[in-house]
Each structure stands twice: as C-alpha cells, then as structure tokens.
C-alpha cells in the first residue's frame, strides 16, 4: 500500500546512527503515520510526507541536542514518485576532461572490442526549434525560478548570478534557451516541472547544494533544485568585517562601496551560478582559480589586495561566467553535425586556450598533490600567493580592533572576527603544500601527449621555505587575551571559536597551537612523505625525505636567544614530535618509517646534549619523553591539544555537493 511504502526506512536512519556511534535505534511502527496534509500531487510527480519515529538508546551528546527525549527520534521523511519522460532524449558520451558529472552503468551486451562500463553525462533536454540554424531557440527552454520569499537584495543577486549561464548557452548556439525568473506565487517548488533556486534558513554553517532529479535510464536531468543557506553569506560577512571592509579606500566604491554587505552579495551571485552549474550537470573544477578564474565551479577565496590606501576589494569575487564554463556548456549542450568530432574539437579547444579540469578526487584534502588544484585559493603561483596572504593576514591583525564590532554588541564578540583572520592563511597553506611531493597533470587519454610530471625541485624547495615561515615566533605569537574580554551572559563560547583552557579567558596558546597544527598536518601528511621519498628515488635532484625532515627539524629545534619567545617555540616542538608520533602509528612503508625514526634519533641526540635549568627543564623532559615514544613506535596515541575551528563549510563529498 501507499502507506507501507511511505513508512519504510528509505534513508536507513537506524543504520546511520549506529554507524556514527550516535546510538542504537529501530523504526517504531506504532509511532509512524502518513501526513496527508503535506502530501501533494502534480501532473508529473506525487510528493508523500510521513512522520517516522525511531526508538532506542543514544550514545554521546548529538541525539539529545535535537530531540526532547532521546529514547525517541521523530523525523519528517519525504518520498517522491516521478513519472519518467517520453522517448526522444539523446544521451551524450562522458569524457574525463569535460567537466561533467558521469553517469556509469554496465552493459554486458557491448561488442568485445568495446568496454562493458558505459558512461554518459547528466544534462537537461534541449531540442532546437530550427535544427539547421547556427543559432536556434529551444522548443522548451531551460528556466530556473528564484525563491519569491528571498529578501529583495538576495533575490536580485540570485537572479543576476544564475543568469550568467545565459552567455554560455548563447556561445553554444542557443538563443534564449536559458532563463532565470522569479517563482510565480501559484507555483509550488516541489513541482518537478520547475527548476528552483531556494533560499532557506538553517542552524548549520550554511552549506549550499545543487542537486538534480534525473532519469535513471539515460541521466536526463528532470529538475534542478538549488538550496542556498542564509547563514552562508554571514560567514562571508564575518571575514570581510574582520578585514575591515568598511575602511577600504573610497577609490574602489564604483565596484564595491566599501561595505562588506556589497562584497558578500557579489559572493552570492557567484554562489548562485556555482550551484546552478551543478544542476546543469557540471562538477567542481578546482583548477579554475589557477587559470585566471576560468570557472564558477571552483571554490573562490575573496581576492583582497593591499594598497597604499588600505585594502582593495574591487576584485574580491569574479563577475560573470568563466571561459572554462563556456566550453563545458558547449560540450554538454552544443549542437554538432558530427557529435563525436564536435566534442573532440571542444576538448582540443580547451587545451589550446590553456583551460583544464581537475575535480574533487585530486583537489579536496590536505594530502592531495595536484599543484594547481585547491579549494579557497587564488592565483597560479601558490608559493607567491601564500607569501601575499601571510602579509595580508599581518595587516588585518594589526588593524583588527574592538571598533570593528557593532556598537550594540559585546566587545567580546571581537573573537568571532579574530578566528578567520588569524587563520586567514589556512587554505593557501594547503595549496602551497601540494607542491611538496606534488605533480602537475590533466586527465589525458592514452592517445594524447601525457602531462603527468612532478613539481620541479626548486619549486618544492621554495614551497617548503615559505611554509616553514608559518612557524616563526612573530607569525604565531598572540596577545589577544589582553584585547578580547570574557564573554558575557547570553553569549556562550561555541565551536566557531578557539578552544581555551583558561576558564573563559581567551587562550593565546590555543591560537598558536591551532596554526601550528594546520602547518604540520600539511607538511607531515602521510601520502606527501611517501611521494617525496619516491620522487627522490627516481630523481636525485629532488629533495630527499631525510633532507626534508632535517630542514623542518632545523627550524623547529633552532635555539632561541630571546626568552620571551621560548613559550611559543616549545609549542612548535611539542606539536612536531606529537605529529610524528601519530604518523608512526599509521600505515607507513618500512623505509619511510625508518627514516622518520632516524630523524627522531638525531633530535634525541641533540636534546640529550642540552641541560636547561628552571622552567625550561620540565619542557625539555617532555620533549625527551615524546621522542622515546616515537622511537618505540608503540604505546598510547598522543593527541594534539585543542580543536581547529571549522573552516570550509563543505562536509561530506558527494557527486552533487556544493
């Protein structure tokens, strides 16, 4: 029956809660019902809503935070029944350099000279009104509808940003085939006939999604549904306010009038284009920022420059569609007399224009190695950009003060601005780290000239030298505990802030520890160390793993003449040895493990030759204890102190994630 169908645990809630160790729960049939008031029927889809209750026992704090009684969890669940479209849709072949999502399936009936694994791309159906014309209208254009409940300034930004794709469709030979309009009052967003850009409120960090309903037989996109969280723009505002956007030079007013809200709206335009791009069938392209901001499908960091007048926000976010996006639309939606030849020509044109595609698989994560593909970075030279960002960070920290806080807010909320500014370098640090043991490559096919090459030794050495500057005392020191007062009632500490062991007072050591941890997570990523070792085995000019560790060790254990710098320096030393100990408890090749332990033995010899007095003696004993644990390569795992505040609002990697 319809009711039994709707009340099934389609989302496997019980299994997910158990897998995440949140508790053990099972569907309670007596406490489930079909919510007829929320069920809807449209010409091509039926929407069924039910309330499902799960009974069980919770573990930890997560479940009690979202339910009045953690013996039961009640959820509204949704099931969509969609009519599949008529025949007539033409599938299109997937290519790994196309920038499109792939739809794969196994066809065992393929001829023996063809692979059984077949791949199409996801795309909307577009039929030319005049198939012979170079520029044709569509029988049915692709129309996206912006949430009519969004605030006026947001609604305008969403309209403008999503409409950027019109230029790409025109370049692909379509006249007025892509439009963006306001959702009519009498249209329900759940009607599958309407592509929707929805503005929603959530208590999370404001993730955004671009997802599609599609025909499972052909990968034809039936409906694009974008969900943009209102909290996302507030994260941008926080960064911009911390940079002092209101104080930027009036010379840049024609583009961004110096108000963080104006720059944040520019980000909303870009975000609208990005998420709509997913629903058109396009994947992330994380090399876009390295190729002149060639794609809205990259994750953009605000490009803010220092000038004699202050900060220049005029190029904070790109305006309009990117050159790569134009080619991606041609590949997915272009019309060709000979489709195979036409698609090959698009891919060739991309190479001619110096445009590439690198997806999530080789960009997302601290241990990745494609030197040009990163999230939230800028520029084609990651080392140069890290140096620039570090200087920008120093400028912003120098000018950050309680006056940046709104007059009616407690002065303690300055810490909210401090966090993203103190960690302003975190993403460019990751981007720079990809030079170490890194490679430059594209997704070439076997018949093409292969582009897979390791990063040159001089660039790797430059990257290491720049990253090690993030361990300098001046970079890490913090006296913000003297500036930020305790948080008053009604403004409790939360996860967006630095951790503290000072009982409610800002912990200067926690700021330094957080930044140090970010640096060593990049430098000592397991895959990176293995690649460095392998590259040196294949090329004697590359930096060996022993030399790599030695250079880090020289910075970490160099003698400090100024006693006031010893405290921060000890944090660096403890964090370094702790990270190496954790690394030795992981799965390492034997030769890599031996090289790390040999490095620790050299440090141990160095420290045993020192005899510090007073407070330094206790810190010295702590270092020797950490060394012994690392050399033994067994025992309890040692954890880094503190927790890094959340950064990227993106969580689980999914094909249609933002």
């Amino acid at each position: 029956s319809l009711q039994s169908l709707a009340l099934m645990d389609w989302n496997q809630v019980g299994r997910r809660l158990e897998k995440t160790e949140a508790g053990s729960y099972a569907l309670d049939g007596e406490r489930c019902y079909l919510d007829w008031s929320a069920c809807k029927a449209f010409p091509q889809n039926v929407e069924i809503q039910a309330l499902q209750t799960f009974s069980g026992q919770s573990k930890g704090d997560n479940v009690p935070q979202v339910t009045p009684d953690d013996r039961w969890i009640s959820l509204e669940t949704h099931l969509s029944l969609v009519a599949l479209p008529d025949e007539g849709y033409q599938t299109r072949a997937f290519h790994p350099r196309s920038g499109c999502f792939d739809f794969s399936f196994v066809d065992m009936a393929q001829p023996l000279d063809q692979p059984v694994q077949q791949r199409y791309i996801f795309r909307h159906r577009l039929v030319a009104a005049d198939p012979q014309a170079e520029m044709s209208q569509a029988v049915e254009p692709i129309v996206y509808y912006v949430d009519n409940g969004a605030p006026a300034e947001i609604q305008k930004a969403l309209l403008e940003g999503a409409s950027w794709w019109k230029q790409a469709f025109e370049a692909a030979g379509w006249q007025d085939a892509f439009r963006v309009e306001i959702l009519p009052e009498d249209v329900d967003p759940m009607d599958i006939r309407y592509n929707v850009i929805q503005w929603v409120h959530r208590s999370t960090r404001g993730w955004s999604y671009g997802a599609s309903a599609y025909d499972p037989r052909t990968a034809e996109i039936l409906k694009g549904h974008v969900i943009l969280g209102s909290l996302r723009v507030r994260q941008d505002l926080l960064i911009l306010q911390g940079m002092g956007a209101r104080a930027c030079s009036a010379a840049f007013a024609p583009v961004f009038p110096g108000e963080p809200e104006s720059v944040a709206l520019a980000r909303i335009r870009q975000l609208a284009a990005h998420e709509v791009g997913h629903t058109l069938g396009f994947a992330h392209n994380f090399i876009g920022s390295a190729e002149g901001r060639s794609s809205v499908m990259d994750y953009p960091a605000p490009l803010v420059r220092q000038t004699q007048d202050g900060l220049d926000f005029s190029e904070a976010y790109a305006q309009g569609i990117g050159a790569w996006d134009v080619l991606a639309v041609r590949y997915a939606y272009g019309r060709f007399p000979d489709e195979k030849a036409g698609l090959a020509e698009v891919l060739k044109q991309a190479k001619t224009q110096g445009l590439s595609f690198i997806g999530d698989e080789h960009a997302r994560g601290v241990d990745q190695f494609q030197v040009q593909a990163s999230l939230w970075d800028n520029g084609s030279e990651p080392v140069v950009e890290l140096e620039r960002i570090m200087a920008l960070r120093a400028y912003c920290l120098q000018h950050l003060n309680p006056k940046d806080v709104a007059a009616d807010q407690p002065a303690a909320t300055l810490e909210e601005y401090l966090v993203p500014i103190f960690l302003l370098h975190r993403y460019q640090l990751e981007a720079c780290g990809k030079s170490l043991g890194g490679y430059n490559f594209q997704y070439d096919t076997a018949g093409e000239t292969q582009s897979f090459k390791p990063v040159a030794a001089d660039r790797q050495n430059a990257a290491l030298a720049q990253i090690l500057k993030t361990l300098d005392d001046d970079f890490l020191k913090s006296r913000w505990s003297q500036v930020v007062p305790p948080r008053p009632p009604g403004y409790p500490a939360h996860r967006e802030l630095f951790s503290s062991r000072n009982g409610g007072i800002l912990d200067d050591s926690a700021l330094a520890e957080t930044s140090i941890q970010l640096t060593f997570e990049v430098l000592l990523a397991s895959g990176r160390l293995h690649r460095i070792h392998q590259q040196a085995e294949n090329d004697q000019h590359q930096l060996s793993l022993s030399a790599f560790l030695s250079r880090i060790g020289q910075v970490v254990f160099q003698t400090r003449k100024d006693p006031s710098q010893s405290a921060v320096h000890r944090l660096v030393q403890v964090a370094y040895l702790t990270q190496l100990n954790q690394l030795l408890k992981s799965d390492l090749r034997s030769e890599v493990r031996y090289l790390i332990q040999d490095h620790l033995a050299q440090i141990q010899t160095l420290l045993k030759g020192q005899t510090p007095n007073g407070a330094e003696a206790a810190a010295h004993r702590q270092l020797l204890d950490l060394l012994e644990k690392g050399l033994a390569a067994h025992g309890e795992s040692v954890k880094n102190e503190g927790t890094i505040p959340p950064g990227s609002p993106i969580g689980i990697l999914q094909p249609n994630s933002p």
Side-chain angles (χ1 to χ4, degrees):
S1 67
L2 182 63
Q3 181 162 324
S4 61
L5 184 69
L7 297 182
M8 292 176 64
D9 185 11
W10 291 100
N11 295 308
Q12 300 182 340
V13 173
R15 182 182 297 180
R16 291 187 181 192
L17 290 172
E18 185 173 359
K19 186 177 181 180
T20 57
E21 298 183 352
S24 179
Y25 288 86
L27 194 63
D28 189 338
E30 295 183 358
R31 292 180 170 86
C32 301
Y33 65 87
L34 198 60
D35 185 0
W36 288 106
S37 64
C39 295
K40 300 176 181 180
F42 304 101
Q44 296 176 15
N45 62 302
V46 175
E47 305 299 314
I48 304 169
Q49 191 118 326
L51 187 134
Q52 295 182 337
T53 299
F54 296 81
S55 302
Q57 181 71 40
S58 70
K59 295 179 184 178
D61 300 329
N62 289 335
V63 173
Q65 290 179 2
V66 296
T67 183
D69 189 328
D70 62 1
R71 291 175 295 177
W72 296 282
I73 304 173
S74 293
L75 303 171
E76 286 188 344
T77 61
H78 200 92
L79 182 66
S80 298
L81 302 179
V82 180
L84 294 179
D86 297 332
E87 295 181 356
Y89 172 78
Q90 297 296 314
T91 59
R92 180 157 291 182
F94 168 79
H95 190 284
R97 263 202 338 270
S98 67
C100 300
F101 288 123
D102 71 294
F103 173 78
S104 62
F105 60 96
V106 174
D107 181 1
M108 301 303 294
Q110 285 290 317
L112 292 177
D113 62 346
Q114 296 296 319
V116 295
Q117 189 84 16
Q118 297 291 299
R119 294 176 175 87
Y120 298 154
I121 65 170
F122 292 87
R123 62 175 186 159
H124 289 267
R125 182 184 302 208
L126 269 183
V127 178
D130 184 355
Q132 305 304 318
E134 185 175 338
M135 178 76 74
S136 173
Q137 292 186 332
V139 174
E140 280 191 50
I142 301 171
V143 184
Y144 276 74
Y145 295 90
V146 172
D147 193 336
N148 51 34
E153 68 276 16
I154 298 292
Q155 197 175 89
K156 183 174 182 291
L158 296 177
L159 276 168
E160 292 173 353
S163 296
W164 291 351
W165 288 102
K166 181 178 180 180
Q167 174 192 345
F169 278 89
E170 289 176 348
W174 294 100
Q175 180 181 346
D176 197 30
F178 180 87
R179 300 202 303 265
V180 185
E181 303 173 0
I182 300 296
L183 187 70
E185 292 290 340
D186 59 347
V187 171
D188 192 303
M190 296 305 295
D191 191 333
I192 202 166
R193 295 173 298 173
Y194 295 87
N195 304 299
V196 176
I197 304 171
Q198 200 169 4
W199 184 255
V200 302
H201 298 308
R202 265 180 278 159
S203 61
T204 66
R205 301 191 81 245
W207 302 352
S208 301
Y209 299 93
S212 303
Y214 63 91
D215 186 337
R217 304 168 300 178
T218 62
E220 176 187 354
I221 295 175
L222 308 179
K223 175 187 176 70
H225 199 127
V226 171
I227 298 178
L228 304 178
S230 60
L231 192 59
R232 180 71 169 268
V233 69
R234 296 186 181 275
Q235 294 290 329
D236 294 307
L237 282 171
L238 200 63
I239 297 172
L240 296 163
Q241 289 166 346
M243 288 182 174
R246 286 191 169 85
C248 78
S249 170
F252 311 116
V255 182
F256 297 126
E259 293 293 330
E261 291 83 357
S262 299
V263 189
L265 286 173
R267 172 69 178 109
I268 288 294
R269 295 186 194 97
Q270 196 280 337
L271 184 61
H274 179 102
E275 300 303 343
V276 167
H278 281 317
T279 67
L280 292 172
F282 304 122
H284 291 132
N285 186 5
F286 288 125
I287 202 170
S289 59
E291 296 180 343
R293 290 176 155 185
S294 64
S295 178
V296 298
M297 302 312 297
D298 200 345
Y299 283 175
L303 182 57
V304 180
R305 304 183 190 276
Q306 286 180 253
T307 71
Q308 293 181 345
D309 300 317
L311 297 179
D312 176 0
F313 291 83
S314 63
E315 295 182 292
Y317 293 107
Q319 301 292 301
I321 210 71
W324 167 261
D325 306 316
V326 172
L327 288 176
V329 169
R330 276 197 64 202
Y331 186 95
Y333 294 95
R335 296 178 293 118
F336 309 101
D338 181 335
E339 183 166 297
K340 185 176 181 180
L343 296 179
E345 180 59 30
V346 173
L347 297 174
K348 180 180 178 181
Q349 186 177 352
K351 280 199 169 186
T352 301
Q353 295 181 14
L355 299 173
S356 314
F357 168 74
I358 299 293
D360 289 86
E361 297 85 349
H362 298 107
R364 194 185 289 267
V366 71
D367 199 14
Q368 285 299 333
F369 52 87
Q370 216 296 352
V371 67
Q372 295 284 287
S374 295
L375 288 62
W376 316 112
D377 69 324
N378 275 308
S380 60
E381 295 292 340
V383 178
V384 174
E385 183 63 13
L386 177 58
E387 182 178 20
R388 190 189 73 82
I389 289 294
M390 289 170 65
L392 177 63
R393 171 187 179 272
Y395 176 91
C396 292
L397 287 173
Q398 181 183 355
H399 290 83
L400 183 64
N401 61 69
K403 293 181 181 179
D404 294 318
V405 178
D408 59 346
Q409 293 296 307
T413 58
L414 179 65
E415 186 177 359
E416 270 87 342
Y417 302 91
L418 173 62
V419 172
I421 300 305
F422 196 84
L423 303 179
L424 189 64
H425 64 296
R426 67 189 300 177
Y427 300 114
Q428 199 60 47
L429 173 68
E430 287 188 16
C432 188
K434 291 177 181 178
S435 295
L436 302 172
Y439 292 84
N440 212 330
F441 61 90
Q442 298 184 32
Y443 303 134
D444 299 314
T445 55
E448 297 175 307
T449 302
Q450 299 302 295
S451 59
F452 182 57
K453 296 179 181 179
V455 176
D458 59 339
R459 297 191 66 177
Q460 295 202 36
N461 279 287
L464 178 58
Q466 188 61 42
I467 291 173
L468 288 175
K469 291 179 182 179
T470 65
L471 300 177
D472 289 351
D473 300 317
D474 290 340
F475 187 85
L476 295 170
K477 69 181 180 182
S478 166
R479 295 185 176 87
W480 287 97
S481 61
Q482 302 173 29
V483 179
V484 180
R487 301 183 74 82
Y491 294 83
H494 49 80
R495 70 172 187 161
E496 303 289 340
L497 306 177
F498 291 109
S499 59
S500 175
R501 295 175 291 269
N502 289 351
I505 302 296
L506 187 70
D507 188 344
D508 286 320
S509 294
L511 274 68
E513 286 172 340
T514 302
S515 183
I516 294 165
Q517 186 176 341
L518 288 170
T519 297
F520 285 137
E521 284 183 355
V522 168
L523 287 176
L524 301 178
S526 175
R528 178 157 295 121
L529 299 186
H530 283 86
R531 291 192 299 272
I532 289 172
H533 179 62
Q534 181 171 284
Q535 285 183 356
E537 285 186 323
N538 295 330
D539 182 356
Q540 63 178 351
H541 296 99
Q542 290 284 11
L543 189 68
S544 69
L545 181 56
S546 293
F548 175 79
L549 294 171
S550 178
R551 282 183 59 180
I552 300 174
Q554 289 171 9
V555 170
V556 171
F557 291 99
Q558 63 184 321
T559 304
R560 290 294 190 273
K561 296 180 180 179
D562 184 353
S564 67
Q565 297 177 336
S566 297
V568 171
H569 191 53
R570 284 197 299 270
L571 294 176
V572 174
Q573 294 173 332
V574 169
Y576 181 56
L577 296 181
T578 298
Q579 191 78 15
L580 287 176
N581 284 0
Q582 291 178 338
L583 190 63
L584 287 168
K585 293 177 175 64
S586 64
D587 183 20
L588 299 174
R589 285 171 56 188
S590 57
E591 57 266 41
V592 171
R593 180 181 301 278
Y594 295 149
L595 289 170
I596 293 173
Q597 290 187 311
D598 182 62
H599 175 62
L600 291 176
Q602 293 176 32
I603 297 172
Q604 186 183 51
T605 300
L606 173 68
L607 294 183
K608 282 185 175 181
Q610 300 173 356
T611 54
N613 300 316
E616 292 295 320
H620 193 260
R621 287 196 300 273
Q622 180 187 16
L623 295 177
L624 288 173
D625 180 59
L626 285 170
L627 282 164
E628 290 176 3
K629 289 182 178 180
L631 290 169
H634 62 75
E636 294 184 5
S637 176
V638 183
K639 293 184 178 180
N640 282 307
E641 296 287 349
T643 302
I644 299 174
S648 174
I650 312 307
I652 299 171
L653 173 60
Q654 298 175 354
N656 283 334
S657 63

